[in-house]
C-alpha cells in the first residue's frame, strides 16, 4: 500500500513538473508572439523595417528588459530553423541560368564590395589589439550585409528594379553564396597555427560521412524529390505537401549536421537542386510563412542576447566599432558603384543600403565561438556591433531617401524638367505603366506629348528609348506651365497617388481651364472625388480589364458570345449610371450598399424579361 502511495506521489510530482514546464513554454510563446504583434507593426509604420521591430522586441522582453523570457538558448535552438529555411529559399532563387546572366555583376560587385570591406575592417580589428586570425574572421563577418533587411527596405520604396536595387541584390547573392564556405572554413581559424603537414591519421570516418551526406542530398534532389512531390501532389492533400516540404528542409539539414557539415549547407543544397523544379513556387509558398516567423524569432533571440552590460562597460569601443563598420562599408560601396559609372544618387542608395551586418554574421560568430576561433567577449562585441548597425541603417536609408536623393535628382534633371523642346498638344502626368501606354498610342499616330514624373531614375530610363519624359512635380503650377500646359490641349492624369491626382485635377481646373482633363481612377471612390472636381472623362483602371475577364468567363460557361457581350455592355452602362447616382452619398456606406443591391436586382429582372421575350418569339 505504501509503495502504491509513493508511486502515485512520484507520478503526481512528474505530472506537476511537466505541467509547470508546459506552462512556461506557453508563457514564453505568448511573450514572443505578443512582442512580435506589437513591435513589428510599429517599426514598419515608422518606416524602419520589421527586422528593427524584432530586435527591439527582443530587447524589451529579454533578460535585460522586462525579463518576460529568460531562456534565450532554448529560443535560439528553435529560431535557428529560420536561418536554415532562409538558406533553403535562397537556394531556390539561385537558378543556374540566372546566375550565368548575372555572373559579371555578381562577381564584380560582390568581390569589389565584400573583400575590401573585410580587409579594412580586419586591419582595424588588428589595430585594436586582436590577433590576425580573429581579426580576419571578424572582418569577414562584419563585411556581410543583411538580405532580410535590404530587400524589404528597397522593396517598400519600389527600388528593387532600379539600378541600386539590382546592384544590391547582386552583392547579397554573392554574400549568400560566400557564407557557406565561410562557415566551413571557421575551424581553420581555431588553434595557434595552420597545420603545415597532414595528420598521421586521416579521419576517414568523418570524411566518409560527409561524402555520403553530399551524395545523398545530390542524388535525392536529382532523382527522388520531384517524383515524390508528384506522388504527394496527386493525392490533392495540401497538408501532406507542406509536411513533405518541411521534411526536405529539416531532413537535409539534419543529414548535413550528422555528417559534421553545416545544417545550413544541407538546406542550401536542397534548395538549389529544386530551383528549376516545376514545384518551386508551391514549395516556396509553403516554406515562406514558417521561415518568416522563425526568422523573426531568430532576430528576437538576437535582441535578447544583446549584452547591455558590455555596452555600459565599453560604450566608446562599441560606438567606434559600429561607426567604423558603417563608414568603411558605405565608402567602399559608394566607390565601387561609382566605378561602375552609376549616378551619384544610385551610388548613394547602394552604399547606404549595405553597411549593416547580416543575420549570417550572428551564425558565423556563433560557429567561431564553438570552434574556439573567437572568445565569447570578442563574439559579444561583434554581435552587439551587428545588432546596433541593423538598428541604425534603416534610419539612415530613410534619411537619405527623404533629404539627400531628391536634391541630387533635382540637380540632375532640373534643366530637363522645365525646358521641353517644343510645345505639345498632350501633357501626361505620371509616366508609369498607365501613362506609358497612353504615350505609345500617341506616338503611333505621330502625336507629340510631354510626360512628367517624379521618379528621376524612371525618367532617365524611359528617356533612353526616346520618350519625351521630364522630371518634375506635376502638382506645382510652375512646373505645369514650364512643361507647356498653357499651350497644350489635353491633360492626362495617370498618377498612382490618389491625393496627388486630386490635387492636380483641382489645380488644372482652377488655373488651366482650357485643358481637356482625362484622369485615371484607382477605384469608384477616387472616380467620384474626381467627378466632384468637375472631371468627367474618367477611366477606372481595373474596370475595362474586369469587364473583359467577365465576358470571357461567361463565354467559357457556354453563354453565346453575342449575349455575353450584350450582358457586359448593359452592366457597364448601368454601373456608370450608378456611379453618378451614388456620388452625392458616397460616404454613406449603408445607402451605397442598398443602391448596389437594387441595381443587381434590376439587372436580373431586365435579363429575365429579355429571356422571356426571346423564348416567346421562338
Amino acid at each position: 500500500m505504501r509503495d502504491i502511495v509513493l508511486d502515485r506521489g512520484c507520478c503526481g510530482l512528474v505530472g506537476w513538473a511537466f505541467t509547470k514546464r508546459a506552462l512556461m513554454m506557453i508563457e514564453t510563446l505568448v511573450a514572443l508572439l505578443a512582442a512580435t504583434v506589437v513591435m513589428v507593426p510599429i517599426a514598419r509604420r515608422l518606416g524602419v523595417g520589421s527586422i528593427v521591430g524584432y530586435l527591439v522586441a527582443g530587447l524589451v522582453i529579454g533578460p535585460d528588459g522586462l525579463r518576460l523570457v529568460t531562456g534565450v538558448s532554448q529560443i535560439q535552438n528553435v529560431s535557428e530553423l529560420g536561418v536554415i529555411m532562409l538558406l533553403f529559399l535562397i537556394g531556390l532563387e539561385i537558378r543556374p541560368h540566372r546566375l550565368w546572366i548575372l555572373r559579371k555583376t555578381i562577381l564584380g560587385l560582390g568581390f569589389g564590395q565584400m573583400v575590401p570591406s573585410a580587409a579594412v575592417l580586419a586591419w582595424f580589428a588588428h589595430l585594436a589589439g586582436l590577433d590576425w586570425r580573429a581579426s580576419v574572421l571578424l572582418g569577414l563577418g562584419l563585411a556581410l550585409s543583411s538580405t532580410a533587411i535590404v530587400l524589404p527596405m528597397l522593396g517598400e520604396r519600389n527600388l528593387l528594379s532600379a539600378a541600386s536595387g539590382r546592384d544590391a541584390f547582386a552583392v547579397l547573392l554573392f554574400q549568400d553564396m560566400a557564407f557557406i564556405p565561410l562557415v566551413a572554413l571557421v575551424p581553420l581559424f581555431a588553434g595557434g597555427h595552420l597545420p603545415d603537414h597532414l595528420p598521421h591519421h586521416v579521419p576517414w570516418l568523418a570524411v566518409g560521412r560527409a561524402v555520403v551526406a553530399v551524395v545523398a542530398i545530390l542524388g535525392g534532389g536529382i532523382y527522388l524529390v520531384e517524383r515524390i512531390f508528384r506522388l504527394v501532389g496527386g493525392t490533392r492533400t495540401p497538408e501532406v505537401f507542406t509536411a513533405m516540404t518541411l521534411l526536405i528542409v529539416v531532413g537535409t539539414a539534419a543529414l548535413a549536421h550528422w555528417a559534421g557539415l553545416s545544417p545550413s549547407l544541407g538546406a542550401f543544397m536542397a534548395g538549389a537542386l529544386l530551383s528549376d523544379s516545376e514545384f518551386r513556387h508551391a514549395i516556396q509558398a509553403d516554406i515562406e510563412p514558417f521561415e518568416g516567423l522563425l526568422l523573426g524569432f531568430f532576430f528576437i533571440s538576437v535582441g535578447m542576447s544583446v549584452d547591455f552590460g558590455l555596452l555600459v562597460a565599453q560604450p566608446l569601443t562599441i560606438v567606434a566599432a559600429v561607426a567604423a563598420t558603417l563608414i568603411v562599408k558605405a565608402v567602399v560601396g559608394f566607390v565601387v558603384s561609382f566605378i561602375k559609372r552609376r549616378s551619384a544618387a544610385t551610388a548613394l542608395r547602394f552604399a547606404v543600403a549595405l553597411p549593416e551586418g547580416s543575420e549570417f554574421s550572428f551564425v558565423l560568430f556563433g560557429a567561431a565561438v564553438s570552434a574556439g576561433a573567437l572568445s565569447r567577449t570578442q563574439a559579444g562585441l561583434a554581435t552587439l556591433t551587428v545588432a546596433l548597425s541593423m538598428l541604425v541603417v534603416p534610419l539612415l536609408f530613410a534619411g537619405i531617401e527623404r533629404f539627400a536623393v531628391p536634391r541630387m535628382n533635382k540637380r540632375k534633371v532640373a534643366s530637363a524638367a522645365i525646358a521641353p523642346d517644343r510645345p505639345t498638344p498632350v501633357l501626361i502626368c505620371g509616366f508609369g505603366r498607365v501613362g506609358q501606354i497612353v504615350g505609345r498610342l500617341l506616338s503611333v499616330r505621330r502625336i507629340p506629348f510631354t510626360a512628367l514624373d517624379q521618379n528621376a531614375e524612371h525618367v532617365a530610363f524611359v528617356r533612353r528609348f526616346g520618350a519625351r519624359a521630364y522630371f518634375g512635380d506635376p502638382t506645382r503650377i510652375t512646373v505645369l506651365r514650364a512643361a507647356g500646359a498653357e499651350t497644350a490641349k489635353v491633360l492626362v492624369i495617370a498618377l498612382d497617388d490618389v491625393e496627388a491626382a486630386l490635387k492636380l485635377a483641382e489645380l488644372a481646373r482652377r488655373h488651366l481651364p482650357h485643358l481637356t482633363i482625362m484622369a485615371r481612377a484607382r477605384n469608384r471612390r477616387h472616380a467620384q472625388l474626381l467627378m466632384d472636381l468637375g472631371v468627367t472623362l474618367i477611366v477606372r483602371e481595373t474596370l475595362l480589364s474586369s469587364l473583359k475577364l467577365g465576358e470571357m468567363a461567361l463565354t467559357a460557361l457556354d453563354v453565346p458570345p453575342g449575349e455575353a457581350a450584350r450582358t457586359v455592355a448593359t452592366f457597364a452602362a448601368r454601373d456608370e449610371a450608378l456611379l453618378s447616382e451614388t456620388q452625392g452619398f458616397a460616404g454613406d456606406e449603408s445607402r451605397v450598399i442598398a443602391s448596389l443591391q437594387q441595381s443587381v436586382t434590376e439587372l436580373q429582372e431586365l435579363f429575365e424579361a429579355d429571356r422571356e421575350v426571346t423564348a416567346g418569339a421562338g
Side-chain angles (χ1 to χ4, degrees), residues 96 195 260 590:
S590 60

Side-chain angles (χ1 to χ4, degrees), residues 60 94 165 173 182 186 210 231 249 280 284 286 294 324 331 404 406 448 456 525 582 607:
V60 171
I94 300 179
L173 199 58
L182 280 180
V186 163
L231 180 63
V249 178
R280 186 176 77 88
Q284 186 174 2
D286 279 346
L294 290 173
V331 169
R525 184 56 183 153
T582 58
F607 288 123

Side-chain angles (χ1 to χ4, degrees), residues 486-561:
E486 297 281 6
T487 57
K489 297 178 181 179
V490 175
L491 171 66
V492 178
I493 301 177
L495 298 172
D496 280 326
D497 191 305
V498 173
E499 293 299 326
L502 294 173
K503 182 178 178 181
L504 173 57
E506 183 180 7
L507 193 70
R509 292 288 295 174
R510 182 186 306 165
H511 298 283
L512 303 164
H514 69 284
L515 286 174
T516 300
I517 302 175
M518 303 172 183
R520 153 212 189 179
R522 295 189 67 86
N523 48 46
R524 296 179 69 87
R525 184 56 183 153
H526 185 194
Q528 289 170 332
L529 291 172
L530 288 167
M531 292 164 63
D532 290 341
L533 294 172
V535 180
T536 56
L537 301 176
I538 300 169
V539 175
R540 284 176 278 162
E541 63 181 34
T542 57
L543 178 63
L544 299 180
S545 56
S546 301
L547 291 175
K548 184 61 179 177
L549 196 61
E551 182 179 348
M552 292 167 61
L554 291 174
T555 305
L557 294 171
D558 298 326
V559 176

Side-chain angles (χ1 to χ4, degrees), residues 62-408:
D64 291 329
L66 299 177
R67 298 187 60 82
L68 299 177
V69 179
T70 54
V72 179
S73 59
Q74 296 177 354
I75 297 171
Q76 286 175 333
N77 293 333
V78 176
S79 62
E80 283 175 4
L81 280 173
V83 179
I84 290 171
M85 290 182 178
L86 178 63
L87 263 295
F88 178 80
L89 290 176
I90 291 171
L92 280 179
E93 290 294 329
I94 300 179
R95 284 163 282 178
H97 67 278
R98 190 179 186 187
L99 287 178
W100 183 251
I101 293 172
L102 296 174
R103 64 191 184 281
K104 292 183 179 179
T105 304
I106 292 172
L107 293 176
L109 286 175
F111 269 114
Q113 190 273 343
M114 184 175 174
V115 174
S117 297
V120 175
L121 290 172
W123 181 61
F124 281 167
H126 185 65
L127 290 180
L130 277 69
D131 63 79
W132 276 114
R133 289 177 295 106
S135 298
V136 171
L137 193 55
L138 286 174
L140 289 170
L142 293 174
L144 297 172
S145 301
S146 174
T147 302
I149 286 180
V150 176
L151 294 186
M153 188 169 66
L154 295 174
E156 289 171 357
R157 295 169 173 83
N158 297 318
L159 293 175
L160 287 176
S161 59
S164 54
R166 294 194 301 270
D167 290 349
F169 178 77
V171 171
L172 293 170
L173 199 58
F174 175 85
Q175 292 181 359
D176 291 339
M177 292 187 293
F179 169 72
I180 300 298
L182 280 180
V183 172
L185 292 173
V186 163
L188 295 179
F189 291 89
H193 60 278
L194 294 176
D196 54 4
H197 58 82
L198 291 174
H200 295 295
H201 301 288
V202 177
W204 292 111
L205 181 60
V207 173
R209 278 186 174 183
V211 171
V212 168
V214 172
V215 170
I217 293 172
L218 292 176
I222 295 172
Y223 298 108
L224 293 178
V225 172
E226 285 206 39
R227 291 181 172 86
I228 296 173
F229 269 122
R230 288 194 188 97
L231 180 63
V232 171
T235 63
R236 299 183 182 278
T237 310
E239 60 270 19
V240 177
F241 190 93
T242 302
M244 181 64 196
T245 303
L246 292 173
L247 177 62
I248 288 174
V249 178
V250 178
T252 51
L255 185 60
H257 181 69
W258 168 80
L261 303 172
S262 167
S264 300
L265 174 62
F268 177 82
M269 289 173 61
L273 290 170
L274 292 170
S275 61
D276 285 321
S277 167
E278 63 191 270
F279 299 100
R280 186 176 77 88
H281 294 295
I283 293 169
Q284 186 174 2
D286 279 346
I287 287 294
E288 280 183 336
F290 296 98
E291 178 265 341
L293 185 60
L294 290 173
L295 192 63
F297 285 175
F298 175 80
F299 284 115
I300 289 178
S301 70
V302 170
M304 288 191 293
S305 61
V306 170
D307 190 349
F308 276 102
L310 193 61
L311 180 60
V312 173
Q314 305 183 51
L316 295 179
T317 302
I318 298 298
V319 171
V322 173
T325 301
L326 297 180
I327 294 172
V328 168
K329 294 176 71 175
V331 169
V332 170
F334 189 87
V335 171
V336 168
S337 185
F338 210 70
I339 290 174
K340 285 287 183 179
R341 298 186 178 180
R342 305 296 192 234
S343 67
T346 297
L348 182 62
R349 279 174 168 154
F350 174 79
V352 178
L354 295 172
E356 77 288 332
S358 170
E359 54 274 8
F360 296 138
S361 303
F362 302 129
V363 180
L364 187 67
F365 297 147
V369 171
S370 300
L374 286 177
S375 68
R376 291 194 175 276
T377 301
Q378 292 169 342
L381 283 167
T383 298
L384 186 56
T385 300
V386 171
L388 292 177
S389 71
M390 286 179 162
L391 287 167
V392 171
V393 165
L395 300 175
L396 288 177
F397 195 85
I400 66 115
E401 278 296 301
R402 183 171 181 179
F403 300 109
V405 172
R407 292 182 180 179
M408 297 170 76

